[in-house]
């Protein structure tokens, strides 16, 4: 999978050279590239923003640099992802959908956001998704893009060593994950649930599912079917 990220802070994504995603980049399973939006400006000050039509506080990102940057990256197979607090809530289901794509381009806004005509222009020509990682406001789209890149990247075959570890996770089966324990069997007076020491794998599986349902009912009842 090829992932391109357009941002005025390209070094922000240097962290993607670490850990699993970093190894996947080295092996070629993931090809992730960050691009500086200012490289697509032509004035001395490399200007990417201007005052909003209609007035109001803050600045809006100009459409021209975005058009040149995205024209250089977006193709017929591309899904253009614009992170925004006004976007569709990003979920594990969307992560799975995006993990099947061959090319993702992320547009990371700053200031008060990107001129709406950029989204409108590319939505007329291909697939564009406005995605939010939560109902809170960040200073820019980079943190949201980073979260989505990690959630999607780890689902791409060859990125995670043991694909079985992707199955029993929160949200993978619509439920929150069960609690996990490791040695020692007692720590600060706290012990491990005896069923996990029983060696009875049927009982363990049943206990773990019960824990998932109980935890989901307690913490995220909205995830349970009506
Ligand atoms: N879920 C979420 C996304 C954002 C976001 C995304 C892009 C920009 C551009 C300027 N501020 C932004 C905030 N905040 N919260």
């Amino acid at each position: 999978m090829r992932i391109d990220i357009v941002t005025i802070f390209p070094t922000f994504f240097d962290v993607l050279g670490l850990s699993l995603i970093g190894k996947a980049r080295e092996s070629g399973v993931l090809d992730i590239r960050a691009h500086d939006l200012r490289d697509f400006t032509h004035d001395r000050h490399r200007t990417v923003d201007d005052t909003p039509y209609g007035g109001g506080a803050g600045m809006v990102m100009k459409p021209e640099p975005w058009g040149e940057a995205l024209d250089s990256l977006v193709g017929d197979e591309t899904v253009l992802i614009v992170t925004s607090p006004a976007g569709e809530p990003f979920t594990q289901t969307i992560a799975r959908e995006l993990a099947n794509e061959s090319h993702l381009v992320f547009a990371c806004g700053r200031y008060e956001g990107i001129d709406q005509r950029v989204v409108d222009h590319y939505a007329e020509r291909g697939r564009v998704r406005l995605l939010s990682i939560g109902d809170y406001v960040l200073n820019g789209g980079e943190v949201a893009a980073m979260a989505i890149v990690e959630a999607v990247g780890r689902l791409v075959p060859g990125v995670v060593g043991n694909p079985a570890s992707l199955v029993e996770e929160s949200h993978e089966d619509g439920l929150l994950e069960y609690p996990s324990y490791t040695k020692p069997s007692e720590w600060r007076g706290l012990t491990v649930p005896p069923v996990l020491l029983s060696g009875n794998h049927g009982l363990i599986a049943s206990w773990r599912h019960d824990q998932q349902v109980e935890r989901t009912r307690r913490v995220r009842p909205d995830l349970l079917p009506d």
Side-chain angles (χ1 to χ4, degrees), residues 129-174:
R129 297 195 78 161
L130 227 63
L131 293 179
S132 164
I133 61 167
D135 292 336
Y136 41 83
V137 183
L138 301 166
N139 285 330
E142 286 81 7
V143 167
M146 182 79 80
I148 296 169
V149 166
E150 178 156 326
V152 173
R154 65 193 295 276
L155 297 179
V156 173
V159 173
V160 170
N162 176 11
S165 66
L166 295 175
V167 175
E168 297 184 335
E169 291 189 313
S170 281
H171 303 290
E172 198 50 48
D173 54 3

Side-chain angles (χ1 to χ4, degrees), residues 208-222:
R208 284 174 165 172
H209 184 261
D210 292 349
Q211 289 292 310
Q212 282 186 274
V213 171
E214 188 279 328
R215 180 180 261 185
T216 306
R217 184 176 291 128
R218 174 166 41 87
V219 177
R220 289 294 304 278
D222 58 294

